[in-house]
Amino acid sequence: MRDAVVLADADNFFASCETVFHPALRGRPLVVLSNNDGCVVSRSAAAKALGLANGVPWFVIRDQASRLGVVARSSNYELYASLSRRMMILMSHFFADQERYSIDECFLRSSLGVIRTRHHAAVMRETVLHGLGIPVSIGIAPTRTLAKIVIRLAKHDPHRGGVATWPSCQEGDIARATSPSRTADDLLAQTPIGDVWGVGRRLSKRLLAAGIPDALHLRDADPVLIRRRHSVVLERTVLELRGIPCPQPPSDASDGRRTGRILCSRMFSHPLGGTDDAIAGALSVYAQRACTRLRRQGSVCSRVSAFCSGRPRSPSDPGAWAERTVILDDPSDDPLVVAAAACGALRGRLDPDSRYVRAGVMLTGLSDRMTYDSTLNGLGARRDDHRLGSVLDLVTGRYGPSRIGIGCAGIRSVSRDHDIADDWGMRRSLLSPRSTTHWEEMAVVHAV
DNA sequence: TCTGGGGTCCTAGGACCC
DNA sequence: TCTGGGGTCCTAGGACCC
């Protein structure tokens, strides 16, 4: 008997999280906004029913939305990350080999057979709904790509109770999913090519032009030809659509798993001039955050890149852009070293007449700290810096990111609706309480 | 006036090595 | 005069994901 892929994906995750401690919001049109309250990134079912789209700038629809009684919230990352962790832990008890694919979805593996897998999945869904208040949809299929397709039925067909299984393996073994099935073909034919997992805008245009308008046509395309004309990635998608699993390496970096590079970048709450000291302050803060992630995954970096970009003034104007990479003499995870490198990288390279709207720090050339420490270079490098980083981590973990910092990122004023600084930091004017991560914002329950 | 952030993999091409 | 071949590693850029 073949194993089944179980895909669990929270419904409208950010919007659902907002209702957990505010049950009065349930059923109401609700949108969650990106950083700086920029654009819509999550919508409740009622907001979707009103025709509000994802990705729309908030200032464009604000008036219309308030007329329609839509509630808006700033992104409350602390709350979402905390609820995500709890949701993942709950689900990890039901099936093997959980892989957290993103903040709101995970893949699991079941060898229980189709009927028991469905039952188990339904219990898992109820457990998360009642234990956490987050609705989750579940797709069961022989491969990830098919699970991604069938989960749409779970989300949109209310008769399915939030769980959908790939047609043709309803009753029997998951392996039978590879045998021909009218309903499976119908489902593939109803899936536009751009909705297939791994096919983005560019690729779907090319495939449409090549006479492949939907998932069914892609499944029946010649894999060799697809590989030659497109890529080995798309060839794998063809095989997965045929029910043949093509394993992918784990992609998730949470829980300290290693990633290949670390990027920390943000838009400013308002444009900053090229001579503004605040830019160095921002780079220093981002460098320290990046170092925290670096230490969490037990790595050191050998390259520090800093960049700063301006807003285009016209469609033909690419906007101001400054970027430089510094190579460290000794790979490091020391916030002092990395912040100095990031700030130094752009010193004197910013245009005084330009207005900048975003800055970022990227760490690359990552290697395992223990392995590096044991090399000849590592033995020669100063290693007494670990303690500073660890202390920063401890203080930040306990008192929040605004209470301690080095250099330009030193003591800053603290306000709830500005992430770190009162000048350039993220604007979050519609932030809900961070009920699970901040004592002073804990939910209050009244007994009557 | 205002439009997110952080990852992944693949490919091509150059440097380098034996 | 004639000037190899096969491998690895690294990087930049493109496409995609949530």
Side-chain angles (χ1 to χ4, degrees):
Chain A
M1 185 184 289
R2 286 244 315 268
D3 288 347
V5 171
V6 178
L7 169 62
D9 186 331
D11 301 342
N12 322 319
F13 182 61
F14 292 177
S16 297
C17 288
E18 292 292 339
T19 68
V20 167
F21 292 97
H22 290 89
L25 291 176
R26 259 180 221 149
R28 289 194 58 182
L30 168 76
V31 296
V32 176
L33 308 176
S34 64
N35 282 340
N36 290 319
D37 298 339
C39 53
V40 175
V41 289
S42 179
R43 305 155 295 157
S44 69
K48 286 179 186 171
L50 286 176
L52 299 176
N54 246 352
V56 183
W58 175 234
F59 75 92
V60 170
I61 59 162
R62 185 166 41 207
D63 292 343
Q64 180 208 3
S66 58
R67 273 198 302 277
L68 293 168
V70 175
V71 177
R73 290 275 189 255
S74 304
S75 288
N76 189 341
Y77 296 115
E78 293 91 336
L79 179 71
Y80 309 152
S82 152
L83 293 180
S84 168
R85 262 193 307 276
R86 296 171 192 216
M87 179 175 83
M88 294 298 175
I89 290 171
L90 281 177
M91 294 200 287
S92 70
H93 297 145
F94 285 85
F95 295 100
D97 297 342
Q98 181 185 51
E99 185 199 323
R100 298 176 194 192
Y101 181 69
S102 68
I103 191 164
D104 71 333
E105 66 183 302
C106 66
F107 290 105
L108 302 133
R109 183 179 61 80
S110 169
S111 50
L112 300 173
V114 173
I115 293 172
R116 285 182 63 205
T117 299
R118 284 176 60 86
H119 173 72
H120 234 59
V123 177
M124 178 170 84
R125 185 175 182 278
E126 284 302 304
T127 305
V128 175
L129 189 59
H130 288 133
L132 214 52
I134 303 276
V136 169
S137 296
I138 296 168
I140 302 166
T143 66
R144 293 175 175 217
T145 306
L146 293 177
K148 280 276 190 185
I149 290 176
V150 81
I151 202 170
R152 283 159 207 257
L153 295 181
K155 283 188 185 286
H156 298 132
D157 182 351
H159 302 299
R160 293 181 183 263
V163 181
T165 311
W166 187 251
S168 80
C169 53
Q170 298 280 359
E171 303 300 331
D173 192 298
I174 201 82
R176 281 173 57 185
T178 49
S179 57
S181 148
R182 177 94 187 279
T183 45
D185 285 6
D186 287 348
L187 188 49
L188 290 172
Q190 289 158 12
T191 305
I193 192 67
D195 287 355
V196 174
W197 192 40
V199 179
R201 249 202 345 254
R202 298 283 295 257
L203 200 49
S204 68
K205 223 185 236 175
R206 285 177 64 191
L207 290 172
L208 269 175
I212 301 178
D214 52 46
L216 184 66
H217 281 76
L218 184 58
R219 182 198 71 182
D220 294 337
D222 177 4
V224 178
L225 214 61
I226 288 287
R227 180 179 192 147
R228 200 154 60 214
R229 289 198 184 150
H230 300 279
S231 69
V232 64
V233 183
L234 194 61
E235 181 195 23
R236 284 204 284 256
T237 302
V238 172
L239 297 178
E240 286 243 322
L241 287 171
R242 295 178 180 189
I244 302 162
C246 300
Q248 279 132 2
S251 61
D252 182 87
S254 56
D255 296 336
R257 216 179 297 176
R258 288 213 163 74
T259 59
R261 61 183 170 206
I262 289 171
L263 171 71
C264 188
S265 81
R266 293 276 186 289
M267 302 273 300
F268 304 133
S269 59
H270 60 88
L272 296 175
T275 53
D276 205 323
D277 288 343
I279 290 182
L283 288 173
S284 179
V285 170
Y286 300 159
Q288 288 171 58
R289 284 195 191 157
C291 279
T292 301
R293 280 189 234 156
L294 193 63
R295 287 191 297 276
R296 195 164 56 206
Q297 69 174 45
S299 301
V300 288
C301 71
S302 60
R303 279 190 305 273
V304 179
S305 309
F307 63 87
C308 206
S309 65
R311 194 185 298 287
R313 274 166 281 199
S314 68
S316 59
D317 172 27
W321 173 253
E323 181 192 18
R324 200 170 139 237
T325 300
V326 172
I327 295 172
L328 300 180
D329 293 336
D330 285 309
S332 175
D333 61 1
D334 180 358
L336 279 175
V337 171
V338 174
C343 294
L346 293 189
R347 195 167 293 134
R349 289 174 182 255
L350 298 176
D351 174 10
D353 298 326
S354 287
R355 309 291 286 166
Y356 292 92
V357 294
R358 169 193 288 278
V361 172
M362 186 159 75
L363 310 183
T364 50
L366 306 193
S367 52
D368 180 69
R369 192 178 73 195
M370 307 285 270
T371 311
Y372 174 71
D373 281 350
S374 63
T375 63
L376 278 177
N377 286 339
L379 287 171
R382 280 166 53 84
R383 285 288 118 199
D384 54 352
D385 45 54
H386 291 329
R387 277 182 306 179
L388 174 64
S390 314
V391 168
L392 279 177
D393 290 345
L394 265 174
V395 176
T396 309
R398 188 149 181 185
Y399 299 104
S402 310
R403 305 303 175 111
I404 191 170
I406 54 170
C408 318
I411 307 303
R412 300 172 296 264
S413 68
V414 180
S415 75
R416 254 190 87 245
D417 62 351
H418 272 64
D419 186 28
I420 37 181
D422 48 1
D423 184 15
W424 50 270
M426 200 198 316
R427 188 172 56 235
R428 296 199 285 182
S429 56
L430 306 164
L431 188 63
S432 52
R434 294 163 289 187
S435 310
T436 54
T437 52
H438 289 62
W439 287 109
E440 63 277 19
E441 296 177 27
M442 189 183 275
V444 176
V445 179
H446 299 279
V448 275

